[in-house]
Structure formats: structure tokens, C-alpha cells
Amino acid sequence: MKLFHRLRALFRKDGLDQELSEEMAFHLEKQIEQNTAAGMSAEEARFAAMRKFGGVEQAKEDCRDAWGVRAIDTLRQDIRFGLRTLAKTPRFTAVAVLTLALGIGANVAVFSVVNTILLRPLPFPKPQQLVRIVSKDPAGGESNMTYSADAMEEYQQRNRSFQEVSGYFAFSGPDNLKLTGRDQPQAVTGLMVAGNFFHTLGIEPVLGRTFRPEECIRKSRPVTVLGHAFWKRQFSGNPSLVGHTIDLDGSPVTVVGVLPEMFDFGSVFSPGAKIDLYTPAILDDIRDAGNTMALVGRLKPGATLAQAQAEADLLFPRLVQNLKHPEWGGDYTARLLGLKDYVSGKLRRSLVVLWSAVGLILLIVCVNLANLQLARATARSKEFAMRSALGAGRARMIRLLLTESLTLSLAASVLGLGIAFAVTRYLAHQGSIAWPLLASVRIDGSALGWTLLIAVIAAVLFGVIPGMRVSHGNLQEALKESGPGRSAGRKHEGLRVTLVVSEVALACVLLVGAGLLLRS
């Protein structure tokens, strides 16, 4: 019932007051009737009922307190007064909102990047089962992180920890195919993948199917699976294309499927790469090409990465015995990494540093605004002195200033979200920064929750210090300081100097840190 009355008080305050008055009047009339029935005159009965019932307005206030309505009323009054006060100082309000919006926008944008790359799971079913298999000594580059087609087949057959092991040809260059048979030949980027590659990742096509085993052998019918963006761009999203042929390098190739929009090979496995279509890797054709296959596997339910690593330590040195070219695998080793760690592990420190830097920027903004709020509150010291004289407690005045700060912070958050949306949209559609998963960066529910959290924290940071300082003052001193011939706010000079020094110190820390990062 208390929650019900609170909700009603938010939207129907006048109606609730009227119901309270009617209920009080009803109980009062009932008491008068009882007194009259006991032999009192009409006037005596009314006075007796009023004495027994107490003050009507006091009873209303007691009801409001019991329902929690008074707190809502007070909050509504504080918000209205805060909005009027901020409207009277438009330049201060504009500067505060814009400054805070830049700090919040930077924080939300960086949080969206951190959330996408470090916190959010990979866009595959049961991503915790996916493992990237690389050499223990990757110092020689990509060729030391790949294996031969024979080694991949041997490991597929002999391991007991993985449901499936698959891979892709790691040395495909951009624009390695030509789409012909249309107006002008167009360069497209194709990638050869093992027949079970999409099944291992758990990717189901939105149209058609993926590759069948008989399509992954020599002299089989050429087939391809199209990336979603390429299908939309080049073929206008025509669903009837599946089952028909397109011309690649002058030869007909049958389109057997279209991948879902959420699958972006480049963002996970090769940041910056844009893959248009996929063809099955004919292992017989690449057995003599060297260590060309990058391996990925899906663990069996219940299998752990440590178990799979222990098994790989035993298996990989023995794979050489059955290879067509044992000299390629003389130093085969395997380091198993969770695919998420492989994708984002190298960026973890950099992103944490970047996140800390924008957090420091927001802290500088809050210190700056706290100083401005303190100066503004000092100019209003006479107003707060009068409030104190009329009975307003310290907590009440702090709450009033916090409400103003929260109003500023929420307004800045709306603008900051717009800035963050523009930044994340730019990051998702540019190609100059080769970071994994960057193309999927977006403002989602987590980013909105983070925005609300930092808005509240920022409001407390730059609102509570001025509130406590002003509410702690002496009434007579405040009135004297506000009078003619006095230097208003002299007692706050020490705190304001401290805030300025803190702001400059934080800025120096940020500047020195940025310089060290650039140098290294």
C-alpha cells in the first residue's frame, strides 16, 4: 500500500490530498455523531471531536509521512527550485553541462570499447568452449603460429579434448579474387576455410547451408558462402541467389549459403580484414604449401583448457611421424588460449590505461565543477542563512544542492550520450585502427547503465563538497559576509585554492602519463 500511494503521489498529488481531506472529514463527522448521541449539544460535540481528533493538517502530514509521500513532495520541490535557479544563471549552466558532457561522453565511449573487447563474450554460441591453437614460440610471426594441413588432420583425429578442430588459410591477401560476369570485374576478398569451420564456431547461415564434406575434396564442384555485408552490397540481398552461380576469376562458383550479419571474421581473427566470401580449403591442394592453417577448436563439455593443453603437449611433438613433410614440424609445439583471451588479451593493458585516463578526465571535470559550485554557493550564502533561520537543517540544504548537481549531471548525460554515440559510430565504421571486435562497438544497455552510474557519482563528487561547506557555516557570519563592505566567501578561499591545486595536479598526472605512453 505504501508503494501504491507513493506512485499515486508522483502523478496525482492533488487527487491524493483531496482524498485525504475527505477521509479526515468523514472520521470527524462520525466522532461528532457519537458525541451527539452521548447527549452533547452540537457545538460541544464538534469541539470535543476536534480535541480528540487533533489537528487535521497534522494528521494529514502524519499520513503523508507514513506513505512516504512527503519525501516525494520535497524532491519535487527541490527539482523545481533547482531548475529555476539554474535557469537564472544560463552561462554557468551551459558551461557546466558542456564540460560535464565531454567528460561523460568520453567515459561512455571508452566503456563501450572496453565492454565490447574485454567484457562482452564473443558473438558465438558457448564462446567459452572456443580455443585458439598457436605455437608456444610465436616470435617468427604468423608462420610460427600456423600448422600444415597434414598436422591439422592428425590433430583432429588423435585428440580427445575437442569436439571439433578446424582452421582457415592464414595467408590470404586482400582483393585476391575477381568477381566477373557483371558490368565490370570487381576485386573481392575470399578466404579458404576448413569444411567444418563454421560448424566449429557454431555459426548457422541465414540462407542456405555451409560446406559439405564432398565439397572439400579435389575436383569437387566449386562452391562459396557469402558474407552478409557483401551479399547485401553486391547482390542487393537477393535471397534467390542461393543455388545459383557467380563468376570468380572467370569460373562459375555455386553460392550455397549466406552468413548472418553478426559474423565478422576480420573483427575476431584478423582485425582490419574485410572478407567478402568463403570457399572450402581443399587440403590436398595445400599439403605442399607449408604451415598455412591457423587452428581453432571447440572443447568437449566438461573438458578444461588445462586438460587440453596437457594433451597437446604430448601430441604435437609426435605429429611429425605421420607428416608428408616432417621437416616442417620438427619443432611443433602448441599453446592453447581461450579464443576471447587470444582476441583481446594483447589489448587488455592498453584499454585499462585508456579507461583510467578518461576516468581521470572526469575527475578533473568534477573538481572544476566543485570549485564553480562552491563559488556559486558562496554567493548564495545569505539565501542559505535565511533557510537555516527558518528551520532548514544541514541535511536539507545539502540535499538541495545535490539535487541541483544531479539535474546538471543528468542533462549533461543526455548530451554526453550523443557524443559517445557519434564516437562509437565513427570507430565502428573506420578502418584505420586494426582492433578486434571494433566493428561491433555500440551503445547498449550496459553503456546506458554505466552512464547513469557515472552521472550519479559525478553529481555527488561536485555537489557534496559545496553543500557540506555552505551548510556548516554560522548564520550570523553568513549574514555579515553577505552584507555591504564585506568580502563574500572569504572563509571558502582555502578550500577553493585546494580544489584548484588538485585540478592542476591531476591534469599534470594525465599529461605526463600521456607523454610517457606516446614515447613508449
Side-chain angles (χ1 to χ4, degrees):
M1 287 298 292
K2 184 183 289 188
L3 177 61
F4 172 73
H5 285 299
R6 285 180 179 177
L7 292 174
R8 290 191 63 194
L10 279 174
F11 304 104
R12 291 189 57 200
K13 178 180 180 298
D14 294 338
L16 190 62
D17 283 345
Q18 184 178 352
E19 288 182 15
L20 268 176
S21 299
E22 292 174 355
E23 186 175 352
M24 296 298 175
F26 171 77
H27 289 295
L28 188 61
E29 289 299 326
K30 285 293 184 183
Q31 187 62 48
I32 292 173
E33 290 177 5
Q34 291 177 10
N35 292 343
T36 303
M40 295 183 184
S41 65
E43 188 174 355
E44 290 175 344
R46 174 171 291 279
F47 279 122
M50 292 288 289
R51 286 194 301 271
K52 184 176 180 179
F53 200 82
V56 174
E57 291 303 320
Q58 182 61 41
K60 287 183 181 181
E61 290 300 322
D62 291 340
C63 287
R64 292 191 183 100
D65 288 342
W67 293 344
V69 173
R70 180 184 285 187
I72 295 175
D73 259 353
T74 303
L75 177 61
R76 182 159 38 198
Q77 292 169 8
D78 287 348
I79 292 174
R80 287 178 179 173
F81 182 78
L83 289 173
R84 288 199 302 268
T85 304
L86 293 174
K88 291 178 182 177
T89 54
R91 284 184 294 181
F92 164 81
T93 303
V95 169
V97 169
L98 182 58
T99 305
L100 193 56
L102 291 173
I104 291 176
N107 269 269
V108 175
V110 172
F111 171 80
S112 299
V113 174
V114 171
N115 184 43
T116 300
I117 297 178
L118 297 185
L119 306 180
R120 191 190 302 159
L122 292 174
F124 304 118
K126 299 181 180 178
Q128 71 280 2
Q129 295 179 341
L130 293 174
V131 175
R132 181 75 164 84
I133 305 167
V134 298
S135 169
K136 285 186 177 180
D137 183 21
E142 190 68 26
S143 61
N144 271 16
M145 301 175 68
T146 53
Y147 301 88
S148 68
D150 287 345
M152 185 183 75
E153 285 187 321
E154 283 290 314
Y155 190 57
Q156 284 175 333
Q157 296 168 10
R158 297 173 65 176
N159 88 87
R160 296 293 179 268
S161 299
F162 290 94
Q163 303 177 52
E164 290 188 272
V165 174
S166 189
Y168 60 90
F169 189 81
F171 299 98
S172 295
D175 300 335
N176 56 346
L177 297 173
K178 282 213 170 18
L179 180 67
T180 56
R182 300 172 70 84
D183 296 335
Q184 291 290 335
Q186 294 188 20
V188 298
T189 301
L191 178 71
M192 291 191 298
V193 299
N196 64 339
F197 181 72
F198 298 115
H199 190 264
T200 300
L201 296 179
I203 298 298
E204 295 293 336
V206 292
L207 290 175
R209 57 176 176 81
T210 55
F211 305 127
R212 292 172 178 166
E214 61 269 20
E215 295 168 340
C216 302
I217 59 177
R218 187 177 287 172
K219 295 184 179 180
S220 60
R221 179 186 61 155
V223 295
T224 185
V225 171
L226 305 183
H228 194 276
F230 177 68
W231 172 63
K232 281 281 191 182
R233 182 180 69 252
Q234 194 65 43
F235 301 101
S236 303
N238 181 11
S240 63
L241 182 66
V242 175
H244 291 76
T245 61
I246 59 175
D247 290 335
L248 292 177
D249 290 342
S251 300
V253 178
T254 303
V255 177
V256 296
V258 176
L259 295 175
E261 186 176 6
M262 51 75 63
F263 177 70
D264 184 354
F265 175 90
S267 69
V268 176
F269 295 98
S270 182
K274 300 294 182 183
I275 307 300
D276 297 317
L277 53 87
Y278 303 83
T279 56
I282 310 301
L283 298 186
D284 288 339
D285 291 341
I286 59 174
R287 291 189 193 279
D288 297 328
N291 295 324
T292 58
M293 297 299 292
L295 303 189
V296 61
R298 179 177 288 275
L299 291 169
K300 291 180 178 178
T304 66
L305 192 62
Q307 293 171 347
Q309 180 66 69
E311 181 186 56
D313 290 340
L314 295 174
L315 283 179
F316 269 86
R318 300 176 184 176
L319 295 180
V320 182
Q321 302 171 5
N322 299 320
L323 297 183
K324 182 178 179 181
H325 296 278
E327 67 275 12
W328 295 343
D331 57 351
Y332 269 171
T333 58
R335 182 165 57 109
L336 275 57
L337 299 170
L339 186 58
K340 178 68 175 179
D341 290 335
Y342 175 80
V343 169
S344 58
K346 295 178 181 178
L347 291 174
R348 187 176 303 276
R349 288 185 179 179
S350 300
L351 287 175
V352 169
V353 169
L354 180 60
W355 199 5
S356 302
V358 294
L360 193 58
I361 289 173
L362 184 60
L363 184 58
I364 293 172
V365 169
C366 290
V367 174
N368 185 30
L369 288 180
N371 207 353
L372 292 176
Q373 281 282 65
L374 183 62
R376 188 164 168 268
T378 302
R380 297 168 60 190
S381 57
K382 189 172 184 179
E383 171 198 332
F384 289 110
M386 292 300 297
R387 286 179 178 274
S388 179
L390 293 173
R394 186 181 182 189
R396 181 73 179 84
M397 289 188 283
I398 293 175
R399 187 168 61 183
L400 177 63
L401 283 175
L402 278 177
T403 303
E404 290 182 16
S405 300
L406 187 59
T407 303
L408 279 174
S409 189
L410 291 177
S413 298
V414 175
L415 182 57
L417 273 176
I419 296 172
F421 178 80
V423 171
T424 54
R425 186 174 177 84
Y426 166 75
L427 291 175
H429 290 86
Q430 60 78 46
S432 58
I433 304 177
W435 280 7
L437 304 172
L438 198 60
S440 59
V441 170
R442 65 184 185 275
I443 302 296
D444 57 7
S446 298
L448 293 177
W450 179 252
T451 305
L452 182 61
L453 177 63
I454 60 175
V456 173
I457 292 175
V460 172
L461 285 176
F462 71 80
V464 72
I465 295 177
M468 293 183 67
R469 190 69 175 176
V470 170
S471 65
H472 190 66
N474 181 273
L475 174 60
Q476 291 184 353
E477 289 181 1
L479 291 174
K480 288 178 181 178
E481 285 188 355
S482 300
R486 299 289 302 199
S487 177
R490 185 173 297 167
K491 68 174 182 177
H492 301 308
E493 284 299 320
L495 179 59
R496 291 168 64 180
V497 169
T498 301
L499 289 174
V500 171
V501 170
S502 301
E503 187 178 351
V504 174
L506 290 171
C508 288
V509 170
L510 188 63
L511 190 61
V512 171
L516 290 173
L517 287 174
L518 286 173
R519 185 176 181 181
S520 62

PDB file of all heavy atoms in Angstrom, residues 457-482:
ATOM      1  N   ILE A 457      27.527   9.443  -9.668  1.00  0.00           N
ATOM      2  CA  ILE A 457      28.802   9.615  -8.961  1.00  0.00           C
ATOM      3  C   ILE A 457      29.351  11.022  -9.174  1.00  0.00           C
ATOM      4  O   ILE A 457      29.826  11.682  -8.233  1.00  0.00           O
ATOM      5  CB  ILE A 457      29.822   8.558  -9.436  1.00  0.00           C
ATOM      6  CG1 ILE A 457      29.376   7.167  -8.979  1.00  0.00           C
ATOM      7  CG2 ILE A 457      31.212   8.864  -8.894  1.00  0.00           C
ATOM      8  CD1 ILE A 457      30.246   6.050  -9.505  1.00  0.00           C
ATOM      9  N   ALA A 458      29.290  11.503 -10.417  1.00  0.00           N
ATOM     10  CA  ALA A 458      29.781  12.850 -10.704  1.00  0.00           C
ATOM     11  C   ALA A 458      28.981  13.897  -9.934  1.00  0.00           C
ATOM     12  O   ALA A 458      29.555  14.853  -9.388  1.00  0.00           O
ATOM     13  CB  ALA A 458      29.718  13.124 -12.204  1.00  0.00           C
ATOM     14  N   ALA A 459      27.656  13.729  -9.880  1.00  0.00           N
ATOM     15  CA  ALA A 459      26.820  14.690  -9.155  1.00  0.00           C
ATOM     16  C   ALA A 459      27.200  14.736  -7.679  1.00  0.00           C
ATOM     17  O   ALA A 459      27.255  15.812  -7.071  1.00  0.00           O
ATOM     18  CB  ALA A 459      25.347  14.325  -9.321  1.00  0.00           C
ATOM     19  N   VAL A 460      27.472  13.573  -7.100  1.00  0.00           N
ATOM     20  CA  VAL A 460      27.873  13.534  -5.691  1.00  0.00           C
ATOM     21  C   VAL A 460      29.241  14.189  -5.514  1.00  0.00           C
ATOM     22  O   VAL A 460      29.464  14.965  -4.574  1.00  0.00           O
ATOM     23  CB  VAL A 460      27.895  12.077  -5.180  1.00  0.00           C
ATOM     24  CG1 VAL A 460      28.503  12.001  -3.786  1.00  0.00           C
ATOM     25  CG2 VAL A 460      26.478  11.506  -5.162  1.00  0.00           C
ATOM     26  N   LEU A 461      30.168  13.910  -6.433  1.00  0.00           N
ATOM     27  CA  LEU A 461      31.528  14.436  -6.304  1.00  0.00           C
ATOM     28  C   LEU A 461      31.567  15.956  -6.338  1.00  0.00           C
ATOM     29  O   LEU A 461      32.270  16.588  -5.539  1.00  0.00           O
ATOM     30  CB  LEU A 461      32.423  13.866  -7.414  1.00  0.00           C
ATOM     31  CG  LEU A 461      32.860  12.407  -7.261  1.00  0.00           C
ATOM     32  CD1 LEU A 461      33.647  11.965  -8.474  1.00  0.00           C
ATOM     33  CD2 LEU A 461      33.686  12.225  -5.992  1.00  0.00           C
ATOM     34  N   PHE A 462      30.832  16.565  -7.273  1.00  0.00           N
ATOM     35  CA  PHE A 462      30.921  18.031  -7.352  1.00  0.00           C
ATOM     36  C   PHE A 462      29.771  18.735  -6.633  1.00  0.00           C
ATOM     37  O   PHE A 462      29.706  19.960  -6.634  1.00  0.00           O
ATOM     38  CB  PHE A 462      31.017  18.522  -8.801  1.00  0.00           C
ATOM     39  CG  PHE A 462      29.775  18.385  -9.630  1.00  0.00           C
ATOM     40  CD1 PHE A 462      28.742  19.296  -9.540  1.00  0.00           C
ATOM     41  CD2 PHE A 462      29.647  17.342 -10.532  1.00  0.00           C
ATOM     42  CE1 PHE A 462      27.610  19.180 -10.325  1.00  0.00           C
ATOM     43  CE2 PHE A 462      28.521  17.212 -11.326  1.00  0.00           C
ATOM     44  CZ  PHE A 462      27.502  18.141 -11.214  1.00  0.00           C
ATOM     45  N   GLY A 463      28.893  17.963  -5.980  1.00  0.00           N
ATOM     46  CA  GLY A 463      27.794  18.582  -5.260  1.00  0.00           C
ATOM     47  C   GLY A 463      27.909  18.513  -3.754  1.00  0.00           C
ATOM     48  O   GLY A 463      27.458  19.415  -3.037  1.00  0.00           O
ATOM     49  N   VAL A 464      28.530  17.447  -3.244  1.00  0.00           N
ATOM     50  CA  VAL A 464      28.516  17.255  -1.796  1.00  0.00           C
ATOM     51  C   VAL A 464      29.499  18.190  -1.078  1.00  0.00           C
ATOM     52  O   VAL A 464      29.207  18.674   0.027  1.00  0.00           O
ATOM     53  CB  VAL A 464      28.811  15.772  -1.454  1.00  0.00           C
ATOM     54  CG1 VAL A 464      30.276  15.424  -1.703  1.00  0.00           C
ATOM     55  CG2 VAL A 464      28.427  15.464  -0.031  1.00  0.00           C
ATOM     56  N   ILE A 465      30.668  18.482  -1.694  1.00  0.00           N
ATOM     57  CA  ILE A 465      31.650  19.351  -1.021  1.00  0.00           C
ATOM     58  C   ILE A 465      31.098  20.766  -0.827  1.00  0.00           C
ATOM     59  O   ILE A 465      31.129  21.293   0.293  1.00  0.00           O
ATOM     60  CB  ILE A 465      32.981  19.377  -1.810  1.00  0.00           C
ATOM     61  CG1 ILE A 465      33.620  17.988  -1.785  1.00  0.00           C
ATOM     62  CG2 ILE A 465      33.928  20.422  -1.232  1.00  0.00           C
ATOM     63  CD1 ILE A 465      34.896  17.894  -2.588  1.00  0.00           C
ATOM     64  N   PRO A 466      30.556  21.421  -1.880  1.00  0.00           N
ATOM     65  CA  PRO A 466      29.961  22.741  -1.642  1.00  0.00           C
ATOM     66  C   PRO A 466      28.795  22.689  -0.661  1.00  0.00           C
ATOM     67  O   PRO A 466      28.636  23.593   0.171  1.00  0.00           O
ATOM     68  CB  PRO A 466      29.487  23.169  -3.043  1.00  0.00           C
ATOM     69  CG  PRO A 466      30.318  22.372  -3.989  1.00  0.00           C
ATOM     70  CD  PRO A 466      30.545  21.072  -3.316  1.00  0.00           C
ATOM     71  N   GLY A 467      27.980  21.625  -0.751  1.00  0.00           N
ATOM     72  CA  GLY A 467      26.842  21.527   0.150  1.00  0.00           C
ATOM     73  C   GLY A 467      27.260  21.437   1.604  1.00  0.00           C
ATOM     74  O   GLY A 467      26.713  22.123   2.479  1.00  0.00           O
ATOM     75  N   MET A 468      28.246  20.589   1.914  1.00  0.00           N
ATOM     76  CA  MET A 468      28.705  20.446   3.291  1.00  0.00           C
ATOM     77  C   MET A 468      29.386  21.719   3.778  1.00  0.00           C
ATOM     78  O   MET A 468      29.240  22.110   4.936  1.00  0.00           O
ATOM     79  CB  MET A 468      29.667  19.253   3.388  1.00  0.00           C
ATOM     80  CG  MET A 468      29.002  17.912   3.143  1.00  0.00           C
ATOM     81  SD  MET A 468      30.131  16.526   3.343  1.00  0.00           S
ATOM     82  CE  MET A 468      30.437  16.623   5.109  1.00  0.00           C
ATOM     83  N   ARG A 469      30.123  22.362   2.889  1.00  0.00           N
ATOM     84  CA  ARG A 469      30.852  23.572   3.292  1.00  0.00           C
ATOM     85  C   ARG A 469      29.884  24.720   3.614  1.00  0.00           C
ATOM     86  O   ARG A 469      30.029  25.403   4.629  1.00  0.00           O
ATOM     87  CB  ARG A 469      31.797  24.000   2.163  1.00  0.00           C
ATOM     88  CG  ARG A 469      32.763  25.084   2.542  1.00  0.00           C
ATOM     89  CD  ARG A 469      33.787  24.589   3.529  1.00  0.00           C
ATOM     90  NE  ARG A 469      34.792  25.610   3.812  1.00  0.00           N
ATOM     91  CZ  ARG A 469      35.763  25.462   4.696  1.00  0.00           C
ATOM     92  NH1 ARG A 469      35.853  24.343   5.389  1.00  0.00           N
ATOM     93  NH2 ARG A 469      36.636  26.432   4.895  1.00  0.00           N
ATOM     94  N   VAL A 470      28.900  24.914   2.742  1.00  0.00           N
ATOM     95  CA  VAL A 470      27.965  26.024   2.940  1.00  0.00           C
ATOM     96  C   VAL A 470      27.045  25.751   4.121  1.00  0.00           C
ATOM     97  O   VAL A 470      26.776  26.640   4.933  1.00  0.00           O
ATOM     98  CB  VAL A 470      27.136  26.255   1.653  1.00  0.00           C
ATOM     99  CG1 VAL A 470      26.008  27.233   1.912  1.00  0.00           C
ATOM    100  CG2 VAL A 470      28.044  26.794   0.557  1.00  0.00           C
ATOM    101  N   SER A 471      26.561  24.513   4.249  1.00  0.00           N
ATOM    102  CA  SER A 471      25.610  24.209   5.325  1.00  0.00           C
ATOM    103  C   SER A 471      26.261  24.208   6.698  1.00  0.00           C
ATOM    104  O   SER A 471      25.582  24.235   7.709  1.00  0.00           O
ATOM    105  CB  SER A 471      24.962  22.841   5.067  1.00  0.00           C
ATOM    106  OG  SER A 471      25.943  21.813   5.130  1.00  0.00           O
ATOM    107  N   HIS A 472      27.591  24.182   6.737  1.00  0.00           N
ATOM    108  CA  HIS A 472      28.301  24.121   8.008  1.00  0.00           C
ATOM    109  C   HIS A 472      28.548  25.504   8.599  1.00  0.00           C
ATOM    110  O   HIS A 472      28.994  25.631   9.735  1.00  0.00           O
ATOM    111  CB  HIS A 472      29.653  23.412   7.802  1.00  0.00           C
ATOM    112  CG  HIS A 472      30.349  23.081   9.084  1.00  0.00           C
ATOM    113  ND1 HIS A 472      29.848  22.170   9.984  1.00  0.00           N
ATOM    114  CD2 HIS A 472      31.515  23.553   9.629  1.00  0.00           C
ATOM    115  CE1 HIS A 472      30.668  22.072  11.018  1.00  0.00           C
ATOM    116  NE2 HIS A 472      31.691  22.907  10.828  1.00  0.00           N
ATOM    117  N   GLY A 473      28.231  26.531   7.806  1.00  0.00           N
ATOM    118  CA  GLY A 473      28.563  27.894   8.225  1.00  0.00           C
ATOM    119  C   GLY A 473      27.687  28.405   9.354  1.00  0.00           C
ATOM    120  O   GLY A 473      26.626  27.867   9.678  1.00  0.00           O
ATOM    121  N   ASN A 474      28.145  29.485   9.971  1.00  0.00           N
ATOM    122  CA  ASN A 474      27.425  30.155  11.044  1.00  0.00           C
ATOM    123  C   ASN A 474      26.455  31.164  10.457  1.00  0.00           C
ATOM    124  O   ASN A 474      26.786  31.884   9.524  1.00  0.00           O
ATOM    125  CB  ASN A 474      28.430  30.845  11.977  1.00  0.00           C
ATOM    126  CG  ASN A 474      27.743  31.554  13.130  1.00  0.00           C
ATOM    127  OD1 ASN A 474      27.349  32.705  13.002  1.00  0.00           O
ATOM    128  ND2 ASN A 474      27.627  30.848  14.255  1.00  0.00           N
ATOM    129  N   LEU A 475      25.235  31.219  11.023  1.00  0.00           N
ATOM    130  CA  LEU A 475      24.186  32.088  10.487  1.00  0.00           C
ATOM    131  C   LEU A 475      24.602  33.561  10.520  1.00  0.00           C
ATOM    132  O   LEU A 475      24.502  34.269   9.522  1.00  0.00           O
ATOM    133  CB  LEU A 475      22.895  31.883  11.289  1.00  0.00           C
ATOM    134  CG  LEU A 475      21.723  32.800  10.962  1.00  0.00           C
ATOM    135  CD1 LEU A 475      21.302  32.645   9.515  1.00  0.00           C
ATOM    136  CD2 LEU A 475      20.554  32.544  11.909  1.00  0.00           C
ATOM    137  N   GLN A 476      25.086  34.037  11.656  1.00  0.00           N
ATOM    138  CA  GLN A 476      25.449  35.444  11.759  1.00  0.00           C
ATOM    139  C   GLN A 476      26.617  35.791  10.839  1.00  0.00           C
ATOM    140  O   GLN A 476      26.626  36.835  10.190  1.00  0.00           O
ATOM    141  CB  GLN A 476      25.813  35.782  13.212  1.00  0.00           C
ATOM    142  CG  GLN A 476      24.610  35.742  14.151  1.00  0.00           C
ATOM    143  CD  GLN A 476      24.994  36.166  15.562  1.00  0.00           C
ATOM    144  OE1 GLN A 476      26.177  36.360  15.866  1.00  0.00           O
ATOM    145  NE2 GLN A 476      23.994  36.305  16.429  1.00  0.00           N
ATOM    146  N   GLU A 477      27.616  34.897  10.750  1.00  0.00           N
ATOM    147  CA  GLU A 477      28.752  35.164   9.868  1.00  0.00           C
ATOM    148  C   GLU A 477      28.315  35.235   8.415  1.00  0.00           C
ATOM    149  O   GLU A 477      28.798  36.070   7.650  1.00  0.00           O
ATOM    150  CB  GLU A 477      29.803  34.065  10.036  1.00  0.00           C
ATOM    151  CG  GLU A 477      30.536  34.136  11.372  1.00  0.00           C
ATOM    152  CD  GLU A 477      31.584  33.045  11.476  1.00  0.00           C
ATOM    153  OE1 GLU A 477      31.717  32.270  10.500  1.00  0.00           O
ATOM    154  OE2 GLU A 477      32.258  32.959  12.512  1.00  0.00           O
ATOM    155  N   ALA A 478      27.408  34.329   8.030  1.00  0.00           N
ATOM    156  CA  ALA A 478      26.932  34.324   6.648  1.00  0.00           C
ATOM    157  C   ALA A 478      26.215  35.617   6.316  1.00  0.00           C
ATOM    158  O   ALA A 478      26.397  36.197   5.243  1.00  0.00           O
ATOM    159  CB  ALA A 478      26.012  33.128   6.419  1.00  0.00           C
ATOM    160  N   LEU A 479      25.397  36.102   7.259  1.00  0.00           N
ATOM    161  CA  LEU A 479      24.679  37.354   7.012  1.00  0.00           C
ATOM    162  C   LEU A 479      25.642  38.529   6.950  1.00  0.00           C
ATOM    163  O   LEU A 479      25.481  39.441   6.138  1.00  0.00           O
ATOM    164  CB  LEU A 479      23.629  37.563   8.106  1.00  0.00           C
ATOM    165  CG  LEU A 479      22.440  36.594   8.070  1.00  0.00           C
ATOM    166  CD1 LEU A 479      21.551  36.804   9.291  1.00  0.00           C
ATOM    167  CD2 LEU A 479      21.635  36.775   6.788  1.00  0.00           C
ATOM    168  N   LYS A 480      26.679  38.507   7.782  1.00  0.00           N
ATOM    169  CA  LYS A 480      27.668  39.588   7.754  1.00  0.00           C
ATOM    170  C   LYS A 480      28.463  39.570   6.457  1.00  0.00           C
ATOM    171  O   LYS A 480      28.712  40.599   5.837  1.00  0.00           O
ATOM    172  CB  LYS A 480      28.626  39.458   8.943  1.00  0.00           C
ATOM    173  CG  LYS A 480      27.996  39.820  10.276  1.00  0.00           C
ATOM    174  CD  LYS A 480      29.002  39.620  11.400  1.00  0.00           C
ATOM    175  CE  LYS A 480      28.378  39.946  12.743  1.00  0.00           C
ATOM    176  NZ  LYS A 480      29.334  39.705  13.860  1.00  0.00           N
ATOM    177  N   GLU A 481      28.880  38.348   6.029  1.00  0.00           N
ATOM    178  CA  GLU A 481      29.670  38.238   4.796  1.00  0.00           C
ATOM    179  C   GLU A 481      28.878  38.679   3.581  1.00  0.00           C
ATOM    180  O   GLU A 481      29.436  39.096   2.575  1.00  0.00           O
ATOM    181  CB  GLU A 481      30.151  36.799   4.595  1.00  0.00           C
ATOM    182  CG  GLU A 481      31.282  36.423   5.522  1.00  0.00           C
ATOM    183  CD  GLU A 481      31.866  35.075   5.166  1.00  0.00           C
ATOM    184  OE1 GLU A 481      31.319  34.423   4.261  1.00  0.00           O
ATOM    185  OE2 GLU A 481      32.854  34.666   5.787  1.00  0.00           O
ATOM    186  N   SER A 482      27.537  38.573   3.680  1.00  0.00           N
ATOM    187  CA  SER A 482      26.708  38.963   2.547  1.00  0.00           C
ATOM    188  C   SER A 482      26.397  40.440   2.569  1.00  0.00           C
ATOM    189  O   SER A 482      25.809  40.964   1.638  1.00  0.00           O
ATOM    190  CB  SER A 482      25.405  38.155   2.556  1.00  0.00           C
ATOM    191  OG  SER A 482      25.698  36.784   2.464  1.00  0.00           O
TER     192      SER A 482
END
